[in-house]
């Protein structure tokens, strides 16, 4: 319900003014409306709530609703409105077509909110509200990940230090101390003994050799893959030397901080199926190799239980709403550059039960369809067992012109005139990208609806051309949308197309079998989805294939770490490049989350602050407590 | 209300088992009971709530209740039960003597919870519950501080970097960009111009010299006092080199991470009087000096508004309850080593209004009375304007025997027999410390009640001796307490003594006038409170006295950073040492929080993980979701 809306032309109204002009329903009312019981909801103030996993158990015999994934063509650096379209679509389905519907979206990192990009609540009249809650701490899930991630990092270095400075016996006396004359292994130590093949439970019964095996993780510092994280854009932490205080006795080493959303724990949160599954994944995360080449896990460090405790609340999806009062789950936000970039399995599952058989769950997959959607299908759907009914592919005239050879689009720089005036030739040429992304979606056997996200500078002829070319490329339907300016009303035609598509035959299939060799899986994605003629493994990548296959991780799905600005590895290659060789620089493993991630080029995992960060405009009114200047 | 309590001897029952055996009242019921309106309360689940500052406004004409501060004698490293006594006292006053009462305590750092010390919710039958909520994320206040603190740190280094790599004009073009052809200063930039004495608001009107002054903070990297923080015990971050990625072009420097609770922002939170006051304090925090020797503030960095936005929820006190259903505010937890170590002014103020004229607010001051209480009076009460009625001084037979010359008490090592058997001689000798701390409290004109926190190994004669010697030393009263084992019932006599003392004449006065020279203020504390014969300023401290006096910070109160394990600077000196020279190694400024902190010796601001951290025992039951192994 909207109170007096700003009357300025809509594109001159800041997102936060629109958001603050709308009075959200009390969130306990939203919870009641979607069929949650009071016991299943933990309120966090008036506008946010956490939903207990017990809801999933209660509803387990309820049939699932229709599962719709929103993705996009290869975007410009400005973004083409995936989040806005996700919100617009659920507003249309819910507030205008009166269907049960849920949006499931990612929690944004706070780094870009204060850095360059701003928030991620959607925009215009399609926003998750209150956007300042959505964009800032929310209910603390990302903070919990920071705490959990950094506890592991501190444990790794402290353990190496203690092993370097103590004898086996001293370590053993401390790890299994005598308390009132009794020595006892903790549960997690029993698990380590079992892993080592030592079937003893009496601490006094271990041989010297067994004590040695037990107390020494023997981490090879050169193999540590676990990094510290912060949810802050802090470029000076990209490469650091740690351990330079005299108290660390000279055991310094090079390390780095990444942005929190790139933590494996974020990927674990997004892919977990429940508390038990999350705890297991948290325990099998690999932090390094031992000097003998064996993987060292978080469970070996003794930290699994503490991680689960730190993540106990984070595992519950967060309920919010759109500007039009449609329910939204905001849950998990894995970094799409190196993880799978999709919101949580648990939020989707609970939402699918809550909307019921005829309802719709609209979930968003990060970046372009070649990355976000591919990972949604091959990783997220593989782990969740959920089967999607419809792909919504967001396209804009602006991005398609760029793909047709238009000048570079750069954030903070005025758009060149090609983007402000009609240019059907550039547009038609650029539809090669749209065509390829439609084929990519169809490869998985799911019908595609193209949402043409209209800007005020787009002409009728341009919009009609995109619709026509999308249909010719095999889209189930293609629809012009004006939800940014009009709210859900502007996406009613899109919603109707999605309704029709959800009745169409869907024949979902994965692109590859996980049992294939690592190289074959990578090649399949590169050739089928990106259009590469082949892949080339650089020596480091080749070594990792051997290592991970030997360590037993060869049958994990593949999570490509590739630029989203091109179907290829080169962000300059627009349209639908073909015939290129995709270089694989290195491969990393997120064993707890459950994937290998080949690095195609260099990925930055820590953004920086520009000369004039967003924070210059952000302010708090000390009287009203209102936030200004977020966008 | 307690459900079936464990029947084992109480000292064998883990704190978390007692905590989990008690079903807390729904927190909205507690809120109603204390007289808060529904609009003033934001629920965070069933057991925690944030209280709006509007409550303070609504109750501004209500008289304040009695203000009681709990402190202690110089403790052993095991702690003497200050938190437990705080909880026991409010349980006695509330659940047994039916007075309106509130406890106000600090939020503990998560670092020690997973490191060595464990949690801080009290113990035995005197706990804040649920202790796992109290000890872990609570409502995210510490996480908000981490985020805010590190945004400042990232802004400092990014700003230095951008100034080093850009011309004045390039910086100006980016700091005041042309948006649709219009250049505009943001509010915070106008404030910077005013500070520089430039009374212009048109960006095109600045001279070259003015542009230069405006764009260059000209931070001297050697003077940076702002450190990054994490709420994790990570010893390898005590000294690090940052900026070693090629993207930072060689501008690396030495830096460090501290534990989050030592952030100045935590001290700001604890001392703020409201949203407006907090914002002002956040803006005047000094992060470094410019090359011209002028203080560079967070406001100069443009980040004040963003900090206020990040701290918008943290400023609201958190409502919880004790095992006996007594209301508790948990709010702020400034690091007692380098800050003032007291919970928030705002929580105390709201609580004093809520309990009303005849009610009691029991607030805890960290560490021994020479530090926590001295800072409570001279810093916290000075800023809050509140006047305390009673000091409760916690003493134990164990600590007093140590002060009398007993062997060292060490965490994790069984207690020597002197502490397990009656020894009146050691005890009597050790009462020198009790005597001195009683004098210290009386110096501020407030009556002192000594709470003798009884352990099961204490004999009747020992307990009686402490009571007798406390009274002889001038305590208003001295009472034996057994609240740890018995809950509030065990502190009823203490509560009655506090009631009587609150009627006694109190003639509160500060120890010093802030207008005195910095050195005189330090000397007064050293001589009057610690028993030193004089102070000695090392050269760095001497330089800082000159610098801060010149920069206009000389009239701030003094926050001594001194060991809590002795009245002197040497933790080995027990009892009541006298005649020593107190060495002042250096002096730092927390200008936003509002104090100078002289460093007496070296303070560790980042704890480490031991060989076997607490986390080995911490676990989550994946079925019930219950936390085990916290203590």
């Amino acid at each position: 319900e909207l109170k007096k809306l700003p009357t300025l032309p809509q594109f001159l109204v800041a997102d936060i003014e629109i958001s603050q002009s709308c009075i959200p329903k009390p969130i306990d009312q939203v919870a009641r409306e979607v069929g949650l019981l009071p016991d299943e909801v933990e309120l966090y103030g008036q506008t946010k709530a956490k939903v207990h996993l017990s809801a999933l158990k209660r509803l387990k015999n309820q049939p699932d609703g229709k599962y719709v994934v929103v993705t996009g063509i290869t975007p410009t650096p400005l973004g083409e409105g995936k989040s806005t379209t996700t919100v617009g679509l659920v507003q249309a389905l819910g507030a205008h077509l009166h269907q049960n519907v849920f949006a499931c979206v990612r929690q944004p990192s706070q780094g870009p909110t204060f850095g360059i990009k701003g928030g991620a609540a959607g925009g215009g009249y399609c926003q998750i509200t209150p956007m300042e809650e959505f964009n800032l701490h929310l209910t603390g899930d990302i903070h919990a990940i920071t705490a959990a991630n950094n506890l592991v990092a501190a444990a790794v270095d402290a353990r190496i230090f203690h092993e370097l400075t103590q004898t086996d016996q001293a370590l053993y006396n401390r790890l299994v101390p005598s308390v009132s004359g009794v020595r006892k292994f903790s549960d997690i130590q029993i698990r380590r003994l079992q892993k080592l093949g030592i079937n003893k439970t009496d601490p006094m019964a271990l041989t010297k050799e067994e004590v040695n095996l037990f107390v020494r993780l023997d981490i090879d510092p050169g193999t540590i893959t676990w990094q510290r994280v912060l949810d802050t854009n802090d470029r000076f932490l990209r490469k650091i030397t740690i351990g330079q205080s005299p108290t660390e006795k000279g055991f310094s080493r090079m390390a780095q901080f990444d942005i929190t959303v790139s933590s494996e724990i974020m990927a674990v949160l997004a892919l977990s199926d429940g508390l038990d599954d999350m705890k297991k994944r948290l325990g099998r995360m690999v932090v390094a190799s031992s000097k003998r080449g064996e993987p060292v896990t978080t469970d070996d460090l003794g930290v699994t239980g503490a991680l689960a405790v730190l993540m106990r609340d984070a595992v519950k999806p967060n309920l919010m709403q759109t500007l039009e009062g449609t329910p939204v789950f905001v849950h998990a936000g894995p970094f799409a550059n190196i993880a799978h970039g999709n919101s949580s399995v648990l939020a989707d599952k609970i939402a699918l039960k809550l909307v019921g058989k005829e309802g719709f769950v609209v979930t968003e997959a990060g970046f372009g369809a070649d990355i976000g959607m591919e990972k949604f299908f091959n990783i997220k759907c593989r782990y969740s067992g959920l089967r999607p009914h419809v792909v919504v592919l967001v396209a804009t005239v602006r991005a398609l012109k760029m793909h047709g050879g238009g000048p570079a689009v750069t954030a903070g720089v005025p758009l060149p005139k090609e983007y402000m005036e009609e240019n059907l030739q550039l547009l038609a040429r650029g539809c090669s990208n749209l065509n390829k992304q439609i084929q990519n979606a169809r490869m998985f056997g799911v019908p595609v609806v193209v949402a043409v996200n209209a800007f005020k500078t787009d002409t009728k002829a341009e919009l009609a051309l995109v619709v026509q070319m999308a249909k010719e490329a095999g889209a189930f339907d293609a629809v012009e949308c004006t939800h940014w300016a009009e709210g859900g009303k502007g996406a009613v035609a899109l919603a109707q197309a999605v309704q029709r598509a959800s009745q169409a035959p869907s024949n979902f299939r994965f692109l590859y079998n996980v049992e294939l060799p690592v190289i074959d899986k990578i090649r399949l994605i590169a050739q089928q989805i990106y259009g590469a003629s082949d892949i080339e493994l650089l020596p480091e990548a080749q070594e990792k294939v051997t290592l991970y296959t030997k360590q037993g991780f060869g049958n994990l799905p593949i999570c490509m770490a590739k630029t989203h600005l091109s179907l290829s590895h080169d962000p300059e290659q627009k349209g639908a490049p073909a015939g290129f060789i995709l270089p694989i620089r290195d491969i990393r493993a997120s064993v707890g989350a459950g994937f290998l991630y080949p690095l195609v080029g260099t990925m930055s995992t820590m953004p920086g602050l520009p000369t004039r960060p967003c924070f210059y405009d952000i302010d708090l009114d000390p009287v009203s407590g209102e936030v200004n200047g977020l966008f």
Side-chain angles (χ1 to χ4, degrees), chain A:
Chain A
E1 111 192 49
L2 299 172
K3 79 179 176 202
K4 202 173 122 252
L5 271 177
T7 50
L8 287 169
Q10 283 146 350
F11 47 86
L12 288 180
V13 181
D15 288 348
I16 195 161
E17 289 174 41
I18 296 176
S19 178
Q20 289 172 350
S21 71
C22 149
I23 301 164
K25 292 183 274 194
I27 201 68
D28 55 344
Q29 179 186 334
V30 177
R32 270 196 312 278
E33 286 173 4
V34 301
L36 288 164
L37 306 180
D39 273 3
E40 293 165 349
V41 179
E42 280 175 18
L43 303 180
Y44 275 62
Q46 297 291 311
T47 57
K48 302 169 290 181
K50 280 204 164 280
V51 174
H52 286 214
L53 305 188
S54 59
L56 195 54
K57 215 168 159 187
R58 171 173 65 86
L59 298 167
K60 68 174 187 293
N61 296 322
Q62 174 94 350
D64 283 350
K66 305 287 187 184
Y67 196 30
V68 180
V69 61
V70 176
T71 183
I73 61 166
T74 303
T76 71
L78 308 181
E80 307 316 308
K82 261 192 335 296
S83 302
T84 309
T85 303
T86 301
V87 174
L89 176 56
V90 296
Q91 289 184 165
L93 283 165
H96 298 266
L97 300 177
H98 310 296
Q99 304 296 306
N100 286 345
V101 67
F102 242 101
C104 291
V105 303
R106 289 168 293 168
Q107 180 185 0
S109 165
Q110 244 170 223
T113 302
F114 294 106
I116 303 183
K117 186 178 157 285
Y125 288 84
C126 292
Q127 292 186 53
I128 294 160
T129 190
M131 67 98 94
E132 60 270 34
E133 300 286 349
F134 176 83
N135 283 319
L136 297 173
H137 309 292
L138 196 65
T139 57
D141 297 347
I142 291 182
H143 296 321
I145 291 166
T146 303
N149 182 97
N150 293 340
L151 184 59
V152 175
V156 168
D157 282 302
R159 182 62 177 250
I160 294 174
F161 175 79
H162 291 306
E163 288 189 25
L164 284 168
T165 53
Q166 294 178 48
T167 64
D168 285 7
Q169 196 54 48
L171 283 169
Y172 194 59
N173 288 346
R174 290 200 170 90
L175 283 169
V176 194
S178 168
V179 178
S180 315
V182 183
R183 289 184 153 205
K184 209 167 156 286
F185 289 119
S186 66
D187 291 350
I188 203 162
Q189 292 177 327
I190 299 273
R191 286 210 294 279
R192 174 156 170 78
L193 287 169
Q194 288 167 346
K195 181 174 163 182
L196 294 169
I198 303 170
N199 289 313
K200 298 182 179 173
T201 54
D202 175 7
M204 305 308 287
L206 265 60
T207 65
K208 271 198 166 175
E209 290 67 31
E210 288 169 340
V211 166
N212 173 274
L213 277 174
F214 175 76
V215 300
R216 298 215 173 262
L217 302 185
D218 215 20
I219 291 171
D220 175 355
T223 65
I224 296 173
T225 49
W226 195 268
Q227 306 298 350
R228 290 165 175 83
V229 299
L230 279 182
D231 194 29
T232 308
N233 285 9
D234 193 346
R235 52 189 297 160
F236 273 71
L237 298 181
R238 282 172 185 160
K239 197 167 177 188
I240 62 176
T241 305
I242 61 170
Q244 296 182 301
S245 160
T247 54
E248 276 54 74
K249 302 182 183 171
F251 298 119
S252 64
R253 67 175 183 92
M254 300 297 288
Q256 72 190 58
F257 273 78
D258 297 330
I259 191 97
T260 298
V261 289
S262 75
S263 167
E264 182 173 351
I265 298 181
M266 177 58 98
V268 165
L269 175 66
L271 289 172
S272 291
D273 209 12
L275 211 47
D276 191 42
D277 182 48
M278 180 176 75
K279 194 173 152 184
K280 285 183 183 137
R281 289 175 188 268
L282 290 173
R284 61 176 185 247
M285 297 187 300
V286 173
V287 299
S289 290
S290 73
K291 289 185 184 137
R292 296 178 299 279
E294 287 152 6
V296 177
T297 66
T298 33
D299 212 51
D300 291 324
L301 287 166
V303 78
T304 309
L307 298 183
V309 165
L310 282 167
M311 294 294 293
R312 182 174 75 127
D313 292 320
V315 76
K316 304 168 196 161
N318 304 292
L319 181 66
M320 290 188 74
Q321 63 190 298
T322 70
L323 284 176
E324 297 183 9
T326 328
V328 179
F329 274 140
V330 184
H331 200 215
F335 200 53
N337 282 327
I338 61 168
H340 63 300
N342 282 268
S343 64
S344 85
V345 164
L346 279 165
D348 288 1
K349 286 199 163 179
I350 296 176
L352 284 164
K353 295 297 180 195
L354 288 172
V355 298
K357 191 155 187 276
E358 303 302 321
F360 290 83
V361 170
V362 180
T363 193
E364 186 190 342
F367 286 165
D370 52 315
I371 313 188
M373 182 191 71
E374 183 271 314
K375 295 173 181 178
F376 171 78
F377 287 139
N378 282 321
I379 301 175
K380 186 176 175 186
C381 290
R382 198 183 301 262
Y383 280 119
S384 70
L386 297 172
R387 296 296 170 259
H389 295 82
V390 184
V391 170
V392 172
L393 187 70
V394 180
T396 61
V397 168
R398 176 177 72 193
L400 291 171
K401 284 177 174 172
M402 176 191 72
H403 287 297
V409 174
T410 311
V413 171
L415 277 176
K417 71 169 176 17
E418 284 81 351
Y419 299 101
M420 314 301 280
E421 297 168 0
E422 183 169 287
N423 191 326
L424 295 171
Q425 208 181 349
L426 276 185
L427 184 61
R429 211 184 305 145
C431 280
S432 60
N433 185 272
L434 175 63
N435 176 66
K436 173 62 181 153
Q437 298 286 30
I438 291 171
Q439 306 317 321
N440 284 346
R442 285 166 50 99
M443 217 177 292
F444 293 88
V446 184
V448 185
V449 175
V450 173
V452 188
N453 185 17
F455 293 178
K456 65 181 162 46
T457 46
D458 299 342
T459 67
K460 275 195 176 177
E462 286 177 330
L463 293 166
L465 180 62
V466 181
V467 166
Q468 178 204 328
M469 295 195 77
K471 287 181 182 167
E472 285 171 13
F476 176 89
D477 204 348
V479 187
E480 182 190 329
C481 319
T482 54
H483 45 273
W484 186 86
E486 296 192 281
K489 191 165 139 260
V492 166
L494 173 66
Q496 288 165 333
V498 167
Q499 284 183 305
R500 287 193 305 276
S502 73
Q503 307 295 332
S506 167
N507 181 25
F508 177 68
R509 56 191 169 264
F510 297 119
L511 184 70
Y512 56 82
N513 183 321
V514 285
E515 301 300 331
L516 287 177
V518 173
I519 296 179
D520 293 6
K521 288 183 281 194
I522 299 174
R523 187 182 291 115
L524 260 171
I525 296 170
Q527 291 179 334
Q528 302 287 314
I529 303 289
Y530 305 160
S533 59
D534 203 351
I535 59 173
E536 181 195 3
L537 267 69
L538 304 189
E540 276 188 310
Q542 189 59 61
E543 279 167 33
K544 294 295 174 55
V545 169
T546 311
L547 175 71
Y548 293 139
T549 306
K550 184 184 133 214
Q551 290 184 337
F553 307 135
N555 59 357
L556 290 172
I558 299 297
C559 186
M560 299 294 281
K562 181 184 79 70
T563 178
H564 60 296
L565 297 172
S566 169
L567 278 156
S568 78
H569 56 283
D570 174 6
E572 304 300 317
Q573 298 295 313
K574 303 300 182 187
F580 55 91
I581 308 282
L582 191 81
I584 310 295
R585 187 172 61 78
D586 197 355
I587 304 179
R588 305 267 165 79
S590 284
V591 178
F595 51 73
L596 300 179
Y597 60 102
L599 301 177
V600 184
T602 310
M603 292 295 127
S604 170
T605 47
M606 176 53 93
L609 290 175
T611 303
R612 187 189 194 284
C614 297
F615 60 62
Y616 270 90
D617 297 309
I618 296 173
D619 205 359
L620 182 75
D621 183 319
V623 178
S624 69
E626 265 190 11
V627 176
N628 299 312
L630 269 186
F631 69 96

